[in-house]
Amino acid sequence: MPKGYWIARVDVRDAERYKDYVAAAKPAFEKYGANFLARGGTFERLEGAVRARNVVIEFPSFQAAVDCYNSPEYQIAAAIRQEVADAEMVVVEGV
């Protein structure tokens, strides 16, 4: 079964409150087997628009990645994130 990946591009508007999002999201990430492959860090724009923070999270399956996002645990965190950051997020299936 192919793994699933969250790919998120984020501009944080309030760094202190973003910490609340990170703390609130942790239970969902633990429950669904999230493995962070990239979390911020240095990047180089090659093409197109960019955001300041880029995140790649690996899940055991595509369905686990979708279920994590839709979980009640993560939706609490998402509400916080949406107040303090602008983001694009997708789930992709691994090969």
Side-chain angles (χ1 to χ4, degrees), residues 34-80:
N35 179 33
F36 284 80
L37 302 179
R39 188 185 309 183
T42 302
F43 70 92
E44 183 171 330
R45 183 181 80 79
L46 301 175
E47 294 184 26
V50 298
R51 291 205 180 262
R53 185 174 177 81
N54 300 283
V55 180
V56 180
I57 309 171
E58 179 182 70
F59 290 85
S61 68
F62 181 84
Q63 192 60 53
V66 171
D67 290 347
C68 181
Y69 182 84
N70 291 321
S71 71
E73 298 92 345
Y74 185 75
Q75 287 303 303
I76 291 168
I80 297 168

